[in-house]
């Protein structure tokens, strides 16, 4: 069972992948995207997933702190539909409130420079989103 974890931003897409047992999430990369131009990195995702049989995609769903869905959440909902059409696997929207902040704190505590943090923050957020989902399955 392989599950792909994604953190959609306006300029980048963080990508993580589970191990075959569905226990751990590993960061793969951060893909540059052009949301306004309609380039969501689907070609690169197809390349990355060519070697794996995906059972599911977990996409971060950024809700507001009060639980409502704002513009970024709506963008994630639309992207989930695009992913289902492109890869023909179910897409789970996973509440990602504070995942990017938690990833940032983890990188700061590991003494990663600001410049390096900027390059990996979305990938780490994707790992945290996917790991949260995997942990919920295994409890």
């Amino acid at each position: 069972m392989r599950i792909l974890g994604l953190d959609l931003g306006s300029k980048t897409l963080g990508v993580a992948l589970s191990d075959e047992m569905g226990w751990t999430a590993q960061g793969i990369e951060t893909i540059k995207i052009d949301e306004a131009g309609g380039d969501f990195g689907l070609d690169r995702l197809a390349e990355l997933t060519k070697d794996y049989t995906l059972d599911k995609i977990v996409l971060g769903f950024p809700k507001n702190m009060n639980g409502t869905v704002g513009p970024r959440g709506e963008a994630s909902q639309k992207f989930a539909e695009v992913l289902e059409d492109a890869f023909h696997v179910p897409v789970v929207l996973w509440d990602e409130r504070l995942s990017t902040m938690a990833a940032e704190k983890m990188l700061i505590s590991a003494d990663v420079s600001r410049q390096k943090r900027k390059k990996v923050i979305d990938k780490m957020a994707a790992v945290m989103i996917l790991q949260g989902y995997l942990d919920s399955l295994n409890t």
Side-chain angles (χ1 to χ4, degrees), residues 88-137:
H88 309 289
V89 296
V91 177
V92 174
L93 290 169
W94 187 254
D95 187 350
E96 68 154 295
R97 283 179 276 191
L98 304 179
S99 64
T100 301
M101 202 179 328
E104 176 107 29
K105 284 182 180 181
M106 184 173 60
L107 291 168
I108 289 170
S109 69
D111 203 26
V112 176
S113 72
R114 182 182 307 267
Q115 186 175 5
K116 288 181 182 176
R117 282 197 312 265
K118 224 176 155 179
K119 292 179 182 177
V120 299
I121 191 72
D122 293 315
K123 177 173 65 172
M124 292 303 299
V127 168
M128 297 186 92
I129 290 164
L130 181 55
Q131 191 63 57
Y133 177 78
L134 295 173
D135 290 347
S136 78
L137 296 178

Side-chain angles (χ1 to χ4, degrees), residues 12-101:
T12 58
L13 180 67
V15 183
L17 186 68
S18 74
D19 66 343
E20 290 180 357
M21 301 298 291
W23 292 342
T24 61
Q26 294 85 35
I28 302 294
E29 70 178 70
T30 300
I31 301 170
K32 289 190 188 300
I33 63 171
D34 179 9
E35 189 177 44
D39 175 13
F40 291 101
L42 295 180
D43 292 339
R44 181 64 185 137
L45 282 177
E47 288 175 18
L48 287 172
T49 60
K50 199 182 325 181
D51 298 332
Y52 308 105
T53 302
L54 290 182
D55 296 300
K56 195 178 296 178
I57 297 173
V58 175
L59 175 62
F61 187 39
K63 293 182 179 179
N64 295 324
M65 291 309 289
N66 65 2
T68 61
V69 178
R72 293 305 312 154
E74 291 171 359
S76 290
Q77 289 172 317
K78 290 176 186 169
F79 187 50
E81 293 173 12
V82 170
L83 291 169
E84 285 182 344
D85 289 342
F87 296 105
H88 309 289
V89 296
V91 177
V92 174
L93 290 169
W94 187 254
D95 187 350
E96 68 154 295
R97 283 179 276 191
L98 304 179
S99 64
T100 301
M101 202 179 328

